[in-house]
Amino acid sequence: MRYDLDDLRLFLAVVEEGSITAGARRVHLSLPSASARVRALEHHAGVGLLVRGRRGVHPTPAGAALVRHIREVLAQTARLEGAVASYATSPASSLKLLVGGSAMHGMVPRALVTFLQEHPGVDVHVTESRTPDTVRALLDGEADWGVVVEDEALGHGLVTELLTDDSLVVIGHSGGVLAGRTALSYSEVAEHPLVGLTAGASLRRWIEKHAAPQAPLVRYRTTVGDLSVVCALAAAGVGLALVPRHAVDASLALAVCALEDPWARRRQLLARGPARGPVSEAAAALAVHLRGAAARQPVR
C-alpha cells in the first residue's frame, strides 16, 4: 500500500500527544478530518493501530511498530530534502584563490576555516600554483586572489600587498650536524643527504631554480608531498631539509639554522589583477581572513 506522508505525520503526532484532538491541533487539522485520516490509515493497514479510551489513545503493537518506522521515514525524508535543497540555489558568490605550496601549510587552511564558517553562502576554490602561473591567471582575470612570492610577482602590474615572511631555513635533528651552527650556505647543505618535497612541488622547483649552479648534486633520501612530513623526517634524523621558517613545527626536536644565500630571503604577497573596479564584498572578506591568518602564523 502507499502511505501519505501527511497521514504518517498525523499518526505520529496523535501517538506522541496521546490524543487525536491534540494530534490534529499539532498538524493544523480539524478533528473530523484527523479522525477520518486515522480511520483510513487503519483501514488500509488492515489492522487496528490505536486503542481508544476515555483518557485518550495509545498505540497497539502494530501502531507502535508503525511509529518506529514513521520516525525513520521522516528522518530520511528530511535528509533527502536537505540534500536536494543544497542544489536549489547557487551560492551568493564563488571565489578562486591561487597559492604557492608553502602558503598551503598553515596560513591558507587557517584562513579558510574562519572565512567559510562566517560566509556559508560563498564557495572558495583553492588551487596550488607557481607564482609565474598565478601572475598570468590574475592578469587574465581567471582568479580573485593569489598568494605569490615577491621577487617573481613584482613588475607585472598586479595590485599587491605584503602578507608574510616566507624565508627559508635549514632544519635537522637537534643533535645532528646542525648543532652549534646558526647559518649555512646552500652549497654546505647540499653536501648532506636531504629530505624534501616532490619534484613537482612549487617550493622545490623554486629552490632548484635559484640554487647556485656550482652547488653539489643533491641526494634526496626521500621526497614527500607535505611540509609537515618533511619536518618530521628531518627531526627523526633522516636528513636535512629546506623549509619556510613558519613551517617549522615547534613541537619537534629540530635544530634550525638560517640559509644565508640571498635568494633564501623571500616574502609572500597577496595579489590581485589590475584594478578594474571595486573588489567584491566576498573577495574583500577573504582578504581580511588571509591577512589575519598570516598575522597569527607561528614563527620559530
Side-chain angles (χ1 to χ4, degrees):
M1 64 175 289
R2 298 176 59 184
Y3 288 96
D4 183 277
L5 287 177
D6 289 335
D7 288 347
L8 297 182
R9 291 188 180 95
L10 168 63
F11 187 78
L12 179 63
V14 168
V15 171
E16 290 181 343
E17 297 290 342
S19 161
I20 295 178
T21 301
R25 186 183 306 116
R26 190 166 114 181
V27 296
H28 308 292
L29 288 175
S30 67
L31 179 58
S33 176
S35 297
R37 281 175 175 262
V38 171
R39 286 195 299 269
L41 187 61
E42 289 181 305
H43 174 74
H44 287 299
V47 63
L49 300 175
L50 291 175
V51 176
R52 296 162 174 82
R54 292 184 177 181
R55 297 185 178 182
V57 298
H58 64 270
T60 66
L66 179 60
V67 165
R68 289 196 300 272
H69 289 287
I70 288 174
R71 291 191 174 111
E72 293 177 5
V73 168
L74 295 181
Q76 289 283 1
T77 301
R79 286 193 286 271
L80 182 150
E81 291 173 346
V84 174
S86 67
Y87 294 95
T89 57
S90 298
S93 181
S94 179
L95 301 175
K96 185 172 182 180
L97 173 65
L98 303 178
V99 300
S102 62
M104 286 300 294
H105 182 90
M107 180 182 66
V108 169
R110 282 195 298 272
L112 288 175
V113 167
T114 57
F115 176 81
L116 293 172
Q117 286 176 334
E118 292 184 15
H119 299 82
V122 183
D123 291 344
V124 182
H125 303 286
V126 183
T127 303
E128 183 173 338
S129 173
R130 297 172 57 242
T131 291
D133 298 331
T134 298
V135 169
R136 285 191 291 271
L138 292 172
L139 290 174
D140 293 341
E142 297 175 355
D144 296 279
W145 292 107
V147 179
V148 296
V149 178
E150 181 179 36
D151 68 343
E152 294 184 321
L154 297 181
H156 295 281
L158 298 176
V159 179
T160 63
E161 62 178 275
L162 178 62
L163 196 58
T164 185
D165 181 77
D166 195 44
S167 296
L168 302 181
V169 295
V170 187
I171 61 173
H173 179 60
S174 60
V177 297
L178 298 183
R181 300 293 302 271
T182 57
L184 287 87
S185 68
Y186 179 80
S187 295
E188 290 178 277
V189 175
E191 293 174 353
H192 300 274
L194 302 183
V195 292
L197 295 171
T198 52
S202 56
L203 179 59
R204 165 85 176 269
R205 295 174 68 174
W206 195 90
I207 291 171
E208 293 175 347
K209 173 184 175 181
H210 291 83
Q214 66 271 21
L217 183 64
V218 173
R219 174 196 169 197
Y220 282 103
R221 296 203 61 201
T222 188
T223 58
V224 295
D226 187 275
L227 280 170
S228 297
V229 180
V230 171
C231 291
L233 290 168
V238 175
L240 301 183
L242 299 180
V243 299
R245 185 178 291 275
H246 66 74
V248 178
D249 188 340
S251 68
L252 297 175
L254 285 167
V256 182
C257 294
L259 184 62
E260 59 188 17
D261 302 73
W263 53 265
R265 293 185 285 277
R266 315 190 325 160
R267 301 199 302 177
Q268 288 179 336
L269 307 180
L270 180 61
R272 62 182 177 91
R276 299 189 180 95
V279 176
S280 70
E281 182 178 342
L286 178 58
V288 169
H289 285 261
L290 287 166
R291 295 183 194 108
R296 297 191 304 272
Q297 195 153 251
V299 177
R300 175 168 168 176

